[in-house]
C-alpha cells in the first residue's frame, strides 16, 4: 500500500480545489513595493540594510493577510439565519427517527420521565448534526443553509475547503455541547462570537478548527 497521504490530508488543499488560494503575481510576493525593489537599494530591515541582521519579514516582504485572495467574510446575520435553517432541517430528521423508534425525550406523564430515552435522543441529535456538518463542509464548504444564502467555510490558512478532520473538529465543538448540556445557549455563544470577533469574525468552533466563513456572492 502507498504511504502517501490522500489529497487534502493534513490540512493541505488538493491541487484541483477551486477555492485554493492562488500565488501572487510574479515579482509581487506580498511586498509593499510590488515588483519594484525597495528604496535605498535593499530591505530596510535585513540583508545588509541599515539595521543589519536577518529580515523579520522573510525575504524583504511584509506579512501577508491570511484573507488575501479570498472573498469577503460572510455577514454574521446571514450566518445565523443559515444555522437556523440547518437546525430545522436536522431537527426534522431527528423527530422522524425518534418517532419511528419510539424514542421520545419525555413521556406525557411528568412523573415518568425516562432519562434513558432523553440520553438516546441527545445522542442521535449529536451524531446527526456532526455527520451533516462534517460531510457537507468537507465536500464543498457548504451546508444547505450556507449554500442557499451564498457563503462557505474555508481554511483560514489557505482558503481551501476544510478536510474531514477539520470539519469534524468544527462540528464537534459546535454540536456536542448543544446536544448534551447547553442546547441553544451554547449555539448562541459559539456562533454569536462571530459578531464581536476581530479581525476574522470567527465563532468559537471556527477558532478551534482554524476556519472562516466567506461570501460566495
Amino acid at each position: 500500500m502507498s504511504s502517501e497521504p490522500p489529497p487534502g490530508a493534513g490540512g493541505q488543499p488538493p491541487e484541483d480545489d477551486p477555492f485554493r488560494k492562488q500565488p501572487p503575481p510574479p515579482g509581487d510576493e506580498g511586498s509593499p513595493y510590488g515588483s519594484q525593489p525597495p528604496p535605498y537599494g535593499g530591505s530596510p530591515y535585513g540583508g545588509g540594510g541599515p539595521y543589519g541582521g536577518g529580515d523579520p519579514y522573510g525575504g524583504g516582504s511584509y506579512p501577508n493577510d491570511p484573507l488575501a485572495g479570498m472573498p469577503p467574510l460572510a455577514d454574521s446575520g446571514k450566518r445565523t439565519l443559515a444555522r437556523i435553517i440547518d437546525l430545522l432541517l436536522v431537527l426534522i430528521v431527528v423527530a422522524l427517527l425518534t418517532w419511528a423508534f419510539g424514542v421520545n425525550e419525555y413521556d406525557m406523564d411528568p412523573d415518568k420521565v425516562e432519562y434513558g430515552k432523553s440520553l438516546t435522543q441527545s445522542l442521535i441529535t449529536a451524531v446527526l448534526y456532526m455527520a451533516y456538518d462534517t460531510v457537507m463542509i468537507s465536500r464543498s464548504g457548504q451546508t444547505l443553509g450556507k449554500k442557499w444564502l451564498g457563503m462557505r467555510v474555508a481554511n483560514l490558512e489557505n482558503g481551501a475547503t476544510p478536510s474531514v478532520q477539520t470539519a469534524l473538529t468544527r462540528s464537534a465543538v459546535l454540536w456536542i455541547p448543544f446536544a448534551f448540556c447547553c442546547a441553544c445557549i451554547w449555539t448562541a455563544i459559539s456562533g454569536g462570537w462571530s459578531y464581536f470577533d476581530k479581525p476574522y469574525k470567527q465563532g468559537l468552533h471556527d477558532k478551534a478548527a482554524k476556519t472562516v466563513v466567506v461570501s460566495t456572492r
Side-chain angles (χ1 to χ4, degrees):
M1 296 178 61
S2 172
S3 61
E4 294 185 2
Q12 295 300 319
E15 295 294 335
D16 60 350
D17 188 333
F19 299 109
R20 180 188 177 108
K21 281 187 180 179
Q22 299 300 315
D28 186 358
E29 302 295 334
S31 168
Y33 306 109
S35 60
Q36 299 298 319
Y40 311 115
S43 169
Y45 298 105
Y51 301 100
D55 183 356
Y57 297 113
S61 297
Y62 283 79
N64 291 325
D65 182 352
L67 297 179
M70 279 203 277
L73 295 171
D75 177 73
S76 293
K78 290 179 67 176
R79 290 180 60 175
T80 299
L81 182 56
R83 181 62 65 194
I84 292 173
I85 292 172
D86 292 327
L87 272 168
L88 293 176
L89 290 174
V90 178
L91 279 178
I92 291 172
V93 177
V94 171
L96 291 174
L97 288 176
T98 54
W99 172 79
F101 290 99
V103 180
N104 297 311
E105 187 170 2
Y106 300 109
D107 287 336
M108 294 301 294
D109 186 346
D111 295 327
K112 296 182 179 180
V113 176
E114 298 187 33
Y115 292 102
K117 289 186 175 181
S118 175
L119 180 61
T120 301
Q121 188 178 48
S122 295
L123 180 61
I124 292 173
T125 302
V127 169
L128 284 178
Y129 272 123
M130 289 177 61
Y132 171 75
D133 257 19
T134 300
V135 171
M136 298 292 287
I137 288 176
S138 63
R139 285 183 174 179
S140 64
Q142 296 176 301
T143 59
L144 291 177
K146 286 181 171 61
K147 183 175 182 179
W148 294 340
L149 295 181
M151 63 189 82
R152 64 178 290 270
V153 180
N155 289 333
L156 177 60
E157 178 186 11
N158 52 35
T161 299
S163 66
V164 172
Q165 181 179 353
T166 299
L168 180 60
T169 298
R170 189 177 187 274
S171 62
V173 171
L174 184 61
W175 295 120
I176 289 179
F178 170 87
F180 289 101
C181 63
C182 307
C184 293
I185 296 176
W186 174 249
T187 304
I189 294 173
S190 182
W193 201 270
S194 69
Y195 283 83
F196 310 102
D197 183 69
K198 302 293 183 181
Y200 303 127
K201 299 173 69 173
Q202 293 173 299
L204 295 181
H205 50 303
D206 288 310
K207 288 186 176 295
K210 299 180 181 179
T211 58
V212 290
V213 180
V214 296
S215 177
T216 60
R217 297 177 181 172

